[in-house]
Amino acid sequence: QVQLVESGGGSVQPGGSLRLSCAASGIIFSIYTMAWYRQAPGKQRELVASITSPGSTNYADSVKGRFTISRDGADNTVYLQMNSLKPEDTAVYYCKAGVVVSKTFRADYWGQGTQVTVSS
């Protein structure tokens, strides 16, 4: 019904930048929230940043001041600009969207993940 496709991951040196994108498509009435999570090897998946439909944002303490989440509502796309990257930011990054599919059905959908590696 709903697909999320992420792009923009890769390898970068410490201090570098990357921009992740996540595009939602399918049967979508509206999207009320979009978020980025990450999961490092051997660790639990954690919230990195989220943005609601009105534009309110929330960030994990570990990325505040370095990462910026934004959204293009017209294209159902969310971005994560990551600056001043650190080795501890290395993880698989997942996009999640809270989608209203119809008047009676809403659900969370996940992307397939994109690898971000920060290493010298």
Side-chain angles (χ1 to χ4, degrees), residues 1 32 97-101 105-109:
Q1 286 181 325
Y32 54 90
V99 179
V100 178
V101 179
F105 180 69
R106 60 172 60 188
D108 291 337
Y109 294 89

Side-chain angles (χ1 to χ4, degrees), residues 12-79:
V12 66
Q13 292 187 340
S17 298
L18 285 173
R19 188 188 194 215
L20 305 182
S21 300
C22 172
S25 62
I27 303 174
I28 299 172
F29 181 73
S30 67
I31 297 178
Y32 54 90
T33 185
M34 298 189 82
W36 289 96
Y37 286 73
R38 66 186 181 188
Q39 187 167 19
K43 294 187 177 181
Q44 289 189 332
R45 191 173 296 188
E46 63 175 357
L47 175 67
V48 176
S50 64
I51 185 166
T52 65
S53 181
S56 296
T57 59
N58 181 53
Y59 295 93
D61 288 342
S62 59
V63 307
K64 283 180 180 177
R66 300 188 298 122
F67 292 9
T68 302
I69 189 170
S70 60
R71 180 181 165 184
D72 183 337
D75 291 336
N76 288 328
T77 301
V78 66
Y79 305 95

